[in-house]
Amino acid sequence: MSGERISVAQAHRLARMNIVAGFLVWGIALAGVSMMMPVMYNSILESMHWTIGETTRFMAIKSATSALGGLVAGSLLVRVGAKRVLVPSIFVIGIATSLLYFAKSLPFYYALAAVSGVCSVWSVIAIQVTLARWYSASLGRMTGFAMLGGALAGFIVPMSTRMGVTHWGWHATAGVAGLVVLVLVGLSISLLVHETPEAYGYTADELDPGKARPGGAPADPGEDFASFRKTPQFWMLILATALSGVISNGINEYIPLFIEKHTALGATAAALGFTIVMLISGLGKILFGWVFDRLSTRGVALCWALCGVAALATFPMGIKGALPLVGYATFLAFTILRGVSHGGVIVQAPVLARHIYGVRALPQVISLLTAAFHLGAAAGIVAIGAGVDKTGGFTLPFIVVACVAFVAAGIGWQFHPRHWAGQQAAAKA
């Protein structure tokens, strides 16, 4: 600890300010912008005369460049600090989104996706590292609360995007959204983010000890990154996290298109379905945040398995000739399963990093987990799009997604969370 010690109440207030910052980052700059694209895809298809694969490749490229950006994010955060990475990245996301107003060709469309992808991953890693430095025993829940911004976006963005596209077109809708990110989020986080409790005389274990360390016993900060980066467990963690990108973000890009084109529910239900998924994901973030605080890595494995169940739940919606009531009942079941499981996946990275490897290597581990996740998402988006174009439907691609989810869950069940507060409490008992 190097900073002058402030009061505990002040320290907790600064910690909560980071949660508010995370709420804005996830709700507007990250989830909000990403949620627009699937809702706009059909309008983009019709106005630009691109194929489904060409149009949805925007998010594939964004995810791929996010993966590349994640590879260097750890060293960047260590060198210049989380806030100095976060604030400029948010401004660039706003500018890149605004410039979609001028997107008339695929190369320019893809270039904006690439820039947005790098800055998005730097933003999410910076805020995740910040939260993991401030919270210990309740990290899962606090991360979930910060990510509730995504649930708010889920309530507002899909339907408002639908309205914007209808009245103004997709170019103007994207341009306005970028200005909101640039002004509202950029200025707010400049004031809200505080990087580490050590700067104010505390550690996360002092501020958020839970019940695992009676008597104020010091926590093990974990190993240096170099000591475990070549171990089998670490690379299995990277693999499983990449697979979680396939089963979560990969499938999310196709929810509106699937509902609109391959069910009898229509375009409004497609936007509404995406809205419900994102709203319920807020519940999923809190629910699985609580589960992760109590079950750690096995809770993450259960979340991945639920993603597979959600993929299988798409099939009843597409049954031809089903009664309208049956269609809407299966639609609701799917949105609940997809929303809850998606919320859990979004919370996972700081929990996996801190519980398995401790706080010492947080920037490097979270960066690589996030890179792996986005690489998997990019691969999933491309593979599902290619599968749909080749087979004319979502049946085979979604079956493969379900299988991938169950494989990831099996890998995740084997992880050993040595630095999880609950594991340490059990060891002392």
Side-chain angles (χ1 to χ4, degrees):
M1 292 185 292
S2 58
E4 182 178 345
R5 197 173 181 92
I6 61 176
S7 72
V8 173
Q10 287 177 303
H12 282 298
R13 185 160 55 250
L14 295 180
R16 290 191 294 270
M17 288 173 71
N18 286 318
I19 294 177
V20 175
F23 186 94
L24 292 173
V25 169
W26 268 298
I28 301 176
L30 301 177
V33 172
S34 294
M35 286 176 195
M36 287 195 316
M37 297 308 298
V39 178
M40 295 195 302
Y41 280 158
N42 202 45
S43 177
I44 297 171
L45 284 168
E46 293 175 353
S47 65
M48 306 306 295
H49 307 291
W50 298 333
T51 69
I52 288 178
E54 288 172 337
T55 303
T56 60
R57 204 166 291 144
F58 180 94
M59 291 302 294
I61 291 171
K62 184 178 177 183
S63 291
T65 56
S66 290
L68 295 175
L71 295 176
V72 301
S75 59
L76 185 63
L77 264 67
V78 170
R79 188 163 57 249
V80 305
K83 188 171 183 177
R84 290 182 179 177
V85 171
L86 177 60
V87 175
S89 296
I90 293 296
F91 281 113
V92 174
I93 292 170
I95 293 169
T97 306
S98 295
L99 289 175
L100 281 170
Y101 180 81
F102 302 102
K104 306 295 182 182
S105 66
L106 280 172
F108 187 65
Y109 179 71
Y110 292 158
L112 294 178
V115 171
S116 183
V118 172
C119 291
S120 292
V121 79
W122 286 354
S123 300
V124 75
I125 292 170
I127 198 65
Q128 285 180 331
V129 168
T130 300
L131 291 172
R133 285 171 170 167
W134 279 88
Y135 289 99
S136 178
S138 62
L139 176 60
R141 282 171 293 156
M142 295 304 116
T143 304
F145 283 127
M147 292 180 177
L148 279 177
L152 177 63
F155 179 71
I156 297 172
V157 172
M159 295 305 292
S160 60
T161 300
R162 183 74 188 170
M163 292 174 59
V165 167
T166 300
H167 294 288
W168 307 325
W170 73 271
H171 287 98
T173 301
V176 171
L179 292 176
V180 172
V181 173
L182 191 62
V183 177
L184 176 61
V185 185
L187 295 179
S188 296
I189 63 170
S190 301
L191 302 174
L192 291 169
V193 172
H194 298 81
E195 288 195 34
T196 67
E198 285 81 3
Y200 304 95
Y202 292 91
T203 65
D205 295 291
E206 289 178 287
L207 295 173
D208 183 29
K211 300 178 180 178
R213 300 182 189 94
D220 179 1
E223 302 85 6
D224 290 324
F225 179 63
S227 68
F228 62 78
R229 65 182 179 181
K230 296 182 180 180
T231 61
Q233 177 179 258
F234 181 68
W235 286 104
M236 291 303 289
L237 174 62
I238 294 294
L239 172 62
T241 305
L243 296 180
S244 75
V246 174
I247 64 182
S248 184
N249 282 27
I251 198 172
N252 266 13
E253 294 304 307
Y254 294 94
I255 290 173
L257 273 176
F258 169 75
I259 295 174
E260 184 172 352
K261 292 185 173 296
H262 292 269
T263 75
L265 299 173
T268 300
L272 179 62
F274 199 50
T275 297
I276 295 173
V277 168
M278 293 301 114
L279 276 174
I280 294 175
S281 76
L283 172 63
K285 292 174 179 101
I286 302 302
L287 173 63
F288 271 108
W290 180 84
V291 170
F292 296 166
D293 287 338
R294 282 153 183 78
L295 299 180
S296 189
T297 53
R298 291 197 167 183
V300 176
L302 291 173
C303 178
W304 292 342
L306 189 61
C307 286
V309 176
L312 297 177
T314 58
F315 298 126
M317 285 193 293
I319 296 175
K320 301 297 183 182
L323 295 174
L325 183 61
V326 174
Y328 280 105
T330 55
F331 166 77
L332 182 61
F334 164 73
T335 55
I336 291 172
L337 289 169
R338 181 80 279 269
V340 171
S341 59
H342 175 67
V345 170
I346 296 300
V347 179
Q348 70 189 21
V351 173
L352 289 169
R354 186 178 179 114
H355 286 193
I356 298 176
Y357 295 110
V359 298
R360 183 170 288 163
L362 271 177
Q364 294 95 329
V365 178
I366 291 180
S367 296
L368 290 176
L369 292 183
T370 306
F373 179 85
H374 284 288
L375 183 63
I381 293 168
V382 171
I384 293 171
V388 172
D389 285 339
K390 189 171 184 64
T391 66
F394 286 86
T395 300
L396 183 58
F398 282 0
I399 288 174
V400 173
V401 166
C403 293
V404 169
F406 299 136
V407 169
I411 296 172
W413 197 260
Q414 308 302 317
F415 295 144
H416 180 58
R418 190 166 68 85
H419 296 274
W420 170 43
Q423 185 85 354
Q424 294 173 344
K428 291 175 183 177

